[in-house]
């Protein structure tokens, strides 16, 4: 399985809740591609406001282009 996103790409978490609900979406930057986890899902290192963290591909969507 290959990675869906590339290094430097902007991504965000899918919005949960009521459609049309107001709220700010945090945008992350892909820093590093990581190997698949035990379930076979690719993961990434992303930059957040608080620093870096790991996240699974299924928890991300591409961010809208500015």
């Amino acid at each position: 399985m290959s990675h869906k996103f590339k290094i430097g790409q902007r991504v965000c978490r899918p919005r949960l809740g009521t459609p049309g609900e107001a709220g700010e979406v945090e945008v992350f930057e892909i820093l590093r591609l990581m190997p698949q986890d035990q379930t076979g899902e690719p993961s990434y290192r992303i930059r957040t406001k608080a620093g870096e963290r790991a996240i699974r591909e299924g928890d991300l969507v591409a961010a809208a282009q500015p």
Side-chain angles (χ1 to χ4, degrees), residues 24-42:
E24 191 173 316
V25 174
E26 185 177 1
V27 176
F28 312 111
E29 179 185 354
I30 301 290
L31 298 176
R32 194 172 6 189
L33 307 179
M34 295 175 54
Q36 299 172 356
D37 64 11
Q38 62 273 16
T39 67
E41 185 174 11

Side-chain angles (χ1 to χ4, degrees), residues 47-58:
R47 177 175 294 132
T48 68
K49 291 178 184 176
E52 280 187 31
R53 65 171 282 210
I55 192 165
R56 289 180 169 181
E57 187 171 272

